Amino acid sequence: EGPRQRRRRAALRRVRRPRAMAIRSPARRPRRAGPRLAVFAGLGAAICHYSRPGPAYNVKGNWEGDPARLRGALKGDFAEVVDGLRPTIKTSGVKFSNKDVTLALDGSDDRFRLVAGYSKKLDNGAAVDFSMDNDKVWSATFTGRDSKLDITGAGDDFENLNWEATQSGAVDGVGDVTLRVNSDREVNVTIARDGLAKIAGANVDARVEASRSRGIRGRVAAQRKFKGGGEAQYSMENPIGNYDFAATKHRASGRMPFADGRLEAWAEGDAESQQGRAAYVRHAAGGEATASMTYRNGDVGYNVSFGRPLGGKASPVDAKGLVGLDEDGIWAGVVANKDFGHGWRGALDVAGRASLREQAERQARGSVKVANKLGWAELSQTTGQDPKLRMGYEFNA
């Protein structure tokens, strides 16, 4: 082989090597691109999910104590306040879902748990749901058009499963029937019939619940509406397994327009205990006046009150005043709210009471609160007690 042939062969090798590398290099890249694309696709799906509106975390902390205890903070010692404002975190919205599969973080800083779930809709309106947490506690629900089966368990301990099966449907001439059977061998049948009868213009409904272990409970209810906006309701129900009429609980209520106002009343009880309230409410002098009387097991009370907004519609402060008289004395209060703008708002709540008895007692309480979207501070005091300062913060992320 002469020098000329050797130079030609070397030139051919220099030309072929780049071509060979050009052919092999694209062949390697597609094999590596698959996993990379899968990783980026998963990250993209997670980012898209987390960017959906709605809070995932709730973070809050608060401190409460005597305002004098803040003297240390004014001197640069923030240990007590900072320790009290340590955050507590609660989450229920950290969730990744992909069609039928869900992975969620739930709980608070005392104990977080990871929950995996599977949900699938089947034909004819049926569905199956399954979830399990990191403690291997699981639950499964099978739902049909008129039936449902709930099962709960832990790990592979199938001997101690808890389950309940429900079957419901409408039976002509009987009503809506629901059958419940559970793992404790409890059998429960409920029959409900709306519009059972119409007596004196009132619609009558009935409901009967029968339990194999506890007995039978029945309830009858009647409702009627009158011309002019009045209405009345009455019901009677026995405790399950107790058929003594003295134990039957009765409840009656009603309301009707009267003298430019309205009358409201309700009463309930059995042979041993009764309670009720009757009231007349009327708008007057730009506010609302209420006169009421209460009854509870022989004790009778009364309350006459009047409340109205303070200031006009153009007032920068939203305030309302209340004054009243009851069996314990005279009472009054003022509640005011102010929006300062830029997310800041303030609130004032002052109330007092004076007794009409021989040994007159006076009580008063007041609080001032300032808050924004991140935190709040409230100073309050009650008669006979030291002032109290509460500070805190809470936000959703």
Side-chain angles (χ1 to χ4, degrees):
E1 181 178 330
R4 186 176 181 180
Q5 292 177 338
R6 286 196 298 270
R7 288 194 298 269
R8 183 179 181 184
R9 188 177 292 107
L12 289 174
R13 284 197 299 267
R14 287 194 300 268
V15 173
R16 289 171 181 172
R17 283 174 185 171
R19 290 180 181 177
M21 292 176 63
I23 294 173
R24 288 195 298 267
S25 180
R28 291 174 184 171
R29 289 176 182 172
R31 288 197 295 267
R32 295 180 181 177
R36 292 178 181 176
L37 289 175
V39 170
F40 283 112
L43 289 175
I47 292 172
C48 289
H49 177 82
Y50 290 133
S51 63
R52 293 177 183 175
Y57 293 93
N58 175 264
V59 183
K60 63 181 179 180
N62 62 81
W63 179 88
E64 180 177 329
D66 189 339
R69 296 167 64 181
L70 293 180
R71 294 175 181 174
L74 297 177
K75 298 178 181 179
D77 183 8
F78 299 95
E80 181 178 356
V81 177
V82 173
D83 286 343
L85 293 175
R86 289 180 180 179
T88 59
I89 302 174
K90 184 178 180 181
T91 177
S92 60
V94 180
K95 182 185 295 184
F96 173 76
S97 58
N98 184 9
K99 293 184 179 179
D100 305 329
V101 180
T102 301
L103 187 63
L105 183 65
D106 191 14
S108 63
D109 53 357
D110 294 329
R111 184 176 183 274
F112 288 105
R113 66 188 189 115
L114 191 63
V115 182
Y118 174 80
S119 179
K120 182 70 174 179
K121 292 185 177 181
L122 307 177
D123 297 334
N124 299 324
V128 57
D129 295 278
F130 179 84
S131 67
M132 176 182 287
D133 63 16
N134 49 276
D135 292 329
K136 298 182 180 180
V137 177
W138 57 269
S139 65
T141 301
F142 303 90
T143 306
R145 181 177 300 176
D146 53 8
S147 61
K148 184 178 181 181
L149 175 61
D150 292 310
I151 308 174
T152 59
D156 57 357
D157 184 9
F158 298 111
E159 295 181 359
N160 296 305
L161 296 179
N162 294 317
W163 57 266
E164 180 179 84
T166 305
Q167 180 79 32
S168 59
V171 179
D172 293 339
V174 178
D176 297 328
V177 181
T178 302
L179 171 66
R180 291 185 178 88
V181 183
N182 60 32
S183 53
D184 294 329
R185 298 182 180 180
E186 175 67 33
V187 179
N188 185 293
V189 179
T190 302
I191 302 175
R193 180 74 179 269
D194 294 336
L196 176 65
K198 193 165 186 177
I199 303 175
N203 295 319
V204 180
D205 305 328
R207 178 187 175 94
V208 178
E209 178 185 351
S211 171
R212 186 170 67 176
S213 62
R214 296 182 296 165
I216 299 175
R217 171 167 52 198
R219 183 178 187 274
V220 178
Q223 309 89 27
R224 180 175 178 179
K225 293 186 177 182
F226 301 92
K227 294 181 179 179
E231 59 181 9
Q233 300 88 25
Y234 170 78
S235 67
M236 58 181 296
E237 180 178 350
N238 73 291
I240 191 166
N242 189 341
Y243 313 114
D244 186 359
F245 187 78
T248 301
K249 187 173 183 178
H250 305 261
R251 178 177 175 85
S253 63
R255 58 186 298 170
M256 63 178 295
F258 179 78
D260 297 328
R262 68 179 186 274
L263 285 173
E264 302 175 345
W266 63 266
E268 66 178 16
D270 51 25
E272 295 183 358
S273 176
Q274 306 88 32
Q275 61 179 335
R277 179 179 183 269
Y280 173 68
V281 183
R282 179 177 178 176
H283 292 284
E288 186 175 82
T290 303
S292 65
M293 181 174 291
T294 58
Y295 176 85
R296 184 179 181 87
N297 298 330
D299 295 331
V300 179
Y302 66 89
N303 192 328
V304 179
S305 64
F306 175 75
R308 61 158 295 172
L310 303 178
K313 295 182 179 180
S315 175
V317 179
D318 180 15
K320 183 178 182 180
L322 300 168
V323 61
L325 172 68
D326 57 26
E327 66 274 11
D328 293 327
I330 302 174
W331 57 269
V334 174
V335 178
N337 294 276
K338 167 68 175 177
D339 188 352
F340 299 105
H342 303 288
W344 288 91
R345 60 189 182 277
L348 172 69
D349 187 352
V350 180
R353 171 181 287 275
S355 176
L356 298 179
R357 299 173 183 175
E358 294 182 0
Q359 297 180 352
E361 297 179 358
R362 296 181 180 180
Q363 296 180 346
R365 63 171 178 82
S367 66
V368 178
K369 185 176 182 179
V370 179
N372 61 12
K373 295 181 179 179
L374 178 61
W376 48 268
E378 181 181 34
L379 180 63
S380 62
Q381 186 173 12
T382 303
T383 301
Q385 299 181 7
D386 294 331
K388 184 179 297 183
L389 177 64
R390 300 172 64 236
M391 299 187 301
Y393 60 91
E394 182 176 3
F395 60 90
N396 296 322

